Amino acid sequence: MTQIPDFRSDLTAAQEWVAGLMAAVRADQWNAPTPCTDFDVRALLEHLSCHPAKLVATATGADPRTLPSRADIDTNSPGEDYLKRSATALEQWADDALLTRPLIAPWGEAPGGLAVGGYLMETVAHGWDLAVATGQNAEADPALVAKAQAIADRALSDAFRGPGSPFGVRVEPRPQAGPTERLAAFLGRDWDESR
């Protein structure tokens, strides 16, 4: 059997990066558009903040797909609130046996370790969305992004792209794009900075 990777510490690092981005959102940016066309900045923060509950559902054998795709947030300290929820959620993953157990991820059944990897990929991608929408440094730790990209390469076929899917058709990244922007482009993200 192929070894199931352990992405728990990587997810923690991605959540810490995103929490820092959330904390730097200015009051005048809450309604700004993001590259994830379903969400403005406020809605994106609410979407990211629903992930901890979904992560707990996956760890405990429940179905995260039955949970809301957005959660109420503390608008005074969204980063701190998100980080607290995320740390509490990851406590549910302390048992290493969960990594190989079949569990329900947002896209269906998967070994727990790969489910955590899916949450990692989504966290990094939405971090990029938030950063570019709010004018922050949109490049995460390259080592972290490499793991998220490897997950995307393995999991995301063209059949899961396009209308009705959370992933768009691959976008050609800019020549000067860093690893996080290239991941976002692979996931179908595009961003016109003139918006």
Side-chain angles (χ1 to χ4, degrees):
M1 179 175 150
T2 304
Q3 178 78 22
I4 300 295
D6 183 355
F7 294 113
R8 291 173 294 186
S9 63
D10 303 302
L11 181 56
T12 296
Q15 290 167 336
E16 289 171 350
W17 176 59
V18 166
L21 297 171
M22 288 180 168
V25 173
R26 300 189 316 264
D28 64 336
Q29 294 176 320
W30 284 97
N31 297 318
T34 75
C36 188
T37 55
D38 291 339
F39 303 123
D40 63 11
V41 168
R42 177 187 293 273
L44 181 58
L45 266 63
E46 292 171 348
H47 178 63
L48 281 160
S49 295
C50 86
H51 288 174
K54 289 179 178 283
L55 197 58
V56 169
T58 298
T60 58
D63 188 344
R65 297 170 295 187
T66 64
L67 299 176
S69 62
R70 288 165 63 174
D72 291 337
I73 57 172
D74 180 346
T75 56
N76 294 316
S77 54
E80 183 179 331
D81 179 50
Y82 168 75
L83 201 54
K84 183 177 178 181
R85 292 182 202 201
S86 298
T88 300
L90 276 169
E91 289 172 5
Q92 296 290 323
W93 287 87
D95 183 356
D96 291 346
L98 287 173
L99 300 179
T100 55
R101 187 172 300 156
L103 296 169
I104 303 174
W107 62 89
E109 190 175 287
L114 297 183
V116 173
Y119 285 109
L120 168 63
M121 180 187 73
E122 186 169 7
T123 300
V124 172
H126 282 317
W128 181 85
D129 292 331
L130 178 60
V132 298
T134 57
Q136 301 185 62
N137 180 0
E139 286 298 322
D141 176 352
L144 193 65
V145 179
K147 291 180 181 182
Q149 182 69 60
I151 295 160
D153 290 342
R154 177 178 176 174
L156 187 56
S157 71
D158 288 340
F160 290 103
R161 298 175 180 273
S165 168
F167 304 105
V169 177
R170 294 181 200 194
V171 173
E172 185 65 31
R174 300 178 306 155
Q176 70 271 31
T180 314
E181 184 177 342
R182 288 196 300 273
L183 170 65
F186 179 84
L187 297 176
R189 301 291 206 280
D190 197 4
W191 184 243
D192 179 357
E193 294 180 4
S194 67
R195 282 190 241 196

